[in-house]
Amino acid sequence: MKRRIASWENGHSAPDEFYGPLLCKAYGVSAAELGLNHLSGHDGALLDAGYPASPETAITAVTQLWRADLNGYEPLLTSQPSEHAWHQASVTWLVAPDPSPLAADNGTGVRVGLADVAAVKTTTDLFAQLDDRFGGDHARHSVIQYLTREVAPLLNGQYKEAVGRALFSTAAEATLLAGWMSYDACHHGLSQRYLVQALRLAQDGDDRRLAGSVLSAMSHQATFLGRYAEAATLARAALMGISGVATPTLRAQFHAMEARALARTGDTRACERALAEATKALESRNSGDEPEWITYFDEAELAAEAAHCFRDVNRARKAVEHAENAMSGSHVRSDFFATMVLADAHLRAGDPEEACRVALDALDLGEQLKSARCISYLAEFRQRLATVGTTAATRDFYEQAAEHRLWVATGTAPAP
């Protein structure tokens, strides 16, 4: 038996139909949470993107999700997002009553204090820096491992009301990061499930600002996936849901997300109105009053959003103008996206030579990024460049681009 267990631990085999259920029972987890895909036919709850009904069910749902992801449950990694889940989560959160008392003292879990919450916050910030610099696929597994092994015991521990609120809010921020990283890796169904769980945790943490930011992330993903009406609705829900506590930067971001969705629908006038509201809001900000996690959204970020919008409504020159103002120099992935939008805008403006030059700059920027979303931007550019035909500029570009890992990966990646 010892040899059998050692073989499982070393990954040489998997527990069979006899031993698998025994292990699940012993550890009190599902087959999917142990990564036993061949035994997971009845683990449909893990694929449910529904909004948890209570703090207790939220803890159960998110910890099961973390464990299943950590153990590579394939149906979860390849799952697709649900339009109904976006609608249900946003509406349920909007009409939710004030949070009920939140304290856990079951006498069995670890005792949790504010120092524990601070440690989670600091660790999450470090992972966020890695995500920004190297892409979502770089440290995603490590984030999930941390959530599973360190944060889950805290949520199931003993804490007073104030500590519980802070813990749930911080866990929501960490789960939001897991959602962003999964989105960047193009695990879209999994990402949606993380975002839904983050929204519920933010609700229980009584953190409406963070909850609004979660809805904004949902809107961003919905636009990327071509669900433009849902994306605009989610951005408006974010604006409505935190109207009493919104800061200028948050309002600016939410208006920008609405503009991104509207641009994709071709509604240029409504898109420009939303961008004007975003600009107005950002001009009135006072950084000292903003949540720390939204301070990255500055003039360069808004310029990048505007560049996306004007590109999508076929106003290439305006897209070029905004994209040129979108380079922060401090956010690698954001600068990559802005540079690719600039390249695409030059291509649409009829300047393929400049488009190729800028795209090579983007490839240099992206050399350290592990991001399926970055590859999708390049795939879209590759498809458009193919319509130009063969020129000296394009031949030179293809030759140089072939030296870059992200460009090579576009050979099998679909454009968004």
Side-chain angles (χ1 to χ4, degrees):
M1 185 63 187
K2 289 182 179 179
R3 286 197 300 271
R4 187 185 298 271
I5 292 174
S7 177
W8 297 336
E9 290 177 340
N10 292 327
H12 297 310
S13 63
D16 59 22
E17 285 77 2
F18 175 75
Y19 287 105
L22 292 179
L23 283 175
C24 293
K25 185 176 181 180
Y27 286 111
V29 298
S30 68
E33 290 171 73
L34 286 178
L36 307 181
N37 297 350
H38 61 296
L39 304 177
S40 299
H42 302 291
D43 287 326
L46 277 168
L47 301 180
D48 179 16
Y51 195 72
S54 68
E56 294 75 23
T57 56
I59 292 173
T60 299
V62 78
T63 54
Q64 287 181 342
L65 194 60
W66 292 336
R67 282 197 295 262
D69 185 7
L70 181 64
N71 287 291
Y73 182 42
E74 189 67 21
L76 185 62
L77 293 172
T78 59
S79 62
Q80 296 301 309
S82 158
E83 292 182 15
H84 173 72
W86 283 321
H87 176 75
Q88 181 203 28
S90 58
V91 171
T92 304
W93 174 74
L94 279 171
V95 302
D98 291 336
S100 56
L102 182 65
D105 190 8
N106 53 30
T108 58
V110 297
R111 292 193 176 276
V112 184
L114 290 177
D116 299 301
V117 178
V120 175
K121 169 63 177 170
T122 300
T123 305
T124 301
D125 289 345
L126 290 173
F127 278 127
Q129 292 173 29
L130 293 174
D131 172 51
D132 178 56
R133 184 173 178 182
F134 299 111
D137 250 344
H138 173 72
R140 200 189 77 82
H141 190 267
S142 297
V143 170
I144 305 307
Q145 185 177 59
Y146 176 75
L147 290 169
T148 302
R149 297 183 179 176
E150 303 296 333
V151 180
L154 300 180
L155 289 173
N156 287 288
Q158 304 174 60
Y159 38 82
K160 302 300 183 183
E161 174 76 13
V163 173
R165 296 288 179 215
L167 175 61
F168 270 71
S169 176
T170 304
E173 188 177 344
T175 305
L176 171 59
L177 175 61
W180 273 114
M181 295 174 89
S182 299
Y183 166 25
D184 200 46
C186 288
H187 297 307
H188 289 298
L190 174 61
S191 171
Q192 183 190 55
R193 285 156 178 79
Y194 279 135
L195 296 180
V196 168
Q197 298 302 328
L199 185 63
R200 175 70 220 205
L201 292 171
Q203 176 187 328
D204 293 320
D206 198 19
D207 194 338
R208 294 197 71 79
R209 289 174 174 176
L210 182 59
S213 191
V214 174
L215 288 174
S216 180
M218 291 180 179
S219 174
H220 197 292
Q221 183 188 30
T223 294
F224 182 84
L225 293 172
R227 315 286 178 81
Y228 309 130
E230 292 82 359
T233 299
L234 287 163
R236 291 165 187 151
L239 282 163
M240 180 187 302
I242 71 164
S243 59
V245 295
T247 65
T249 304
L250 285 170
R251 288 199 304 273
Q253 187 196 53
F254 301 165
H255 280 300
M257 290 303 99
E258 181 184 14
R260 283 280 295 270
L262 293 168
R264 285 289 194 170
T265 69
D267 192 341
T268 304
R269 183 173 298 180
C271 170
E272 290 184 331
R273 281 199 302 267
L275 282 177
E277 289 293 332
T279 302
K280 180 181 176 182
L282 198 62
E283 288 172 347
S284 67
R285 70 175 172 162
N286 179 349
S287 297
D289 296 332
E290 301 286 348
E292 175 270 332
W293 41 261
I294 195 59
T295 54
Y296 79 92
F297 194 87
D298 54 14
E299 287 80 6
E301 286 287 330
L302 182 55
E305 301 299 345
H308 278 86
C309 291
F310 287 115
R311 178 201 63 175
D312 293 338
V313 297
N314 293 316
R315 295 180 62 181
R317 293 300 176 191
K318 292 229 18 134
V320 168
E321 175 187 337
H322 285 280
E324 287 175 341
N325 293 323
M327 310 303 168
S328 68
S330 57
H331 299 292
V332 176
R333 185 176 48 205
S334 293
D335 285 352
F336 172 89
F337 289 139
T339 306
M340 280 309 306
V341 171
L342 178 59
D344 196 37
H346 279 302
L347 196 57
R348 296 181 190 219
D351 191 351
E353 184 173 349
E354 183 65 8
C356 289
R357 186 193 68 78
V358 173
L360 286 173
D361 289 342
L363 286 169
D364 287 337
L365 268 174
E367 196 61 26
Q368 63 187 6
L369 292 169
K370 294 181 69 177
S371 164
R373 195 155 49 105
C374 290
I375 293 171
S376 74
Y377 270 62
L378 284 165
E380 186 174 27
F381 178 79
R382 184 172 189 161
Q383 288 181 1
R384 289 188 179 279
L385 187 62
T387 65
V388 171
T390 302
T391 67
T394 59
R395 279 197 301 270
D396 185 54
F397 170 78
Y398 286 129
E399 182 178 339
Q400 294 186 61
E403 301 297 321
H404 293 271
R405 172 181 52 83
L406 289 179
W407 182 260
V408 172
T410 64
T412 57

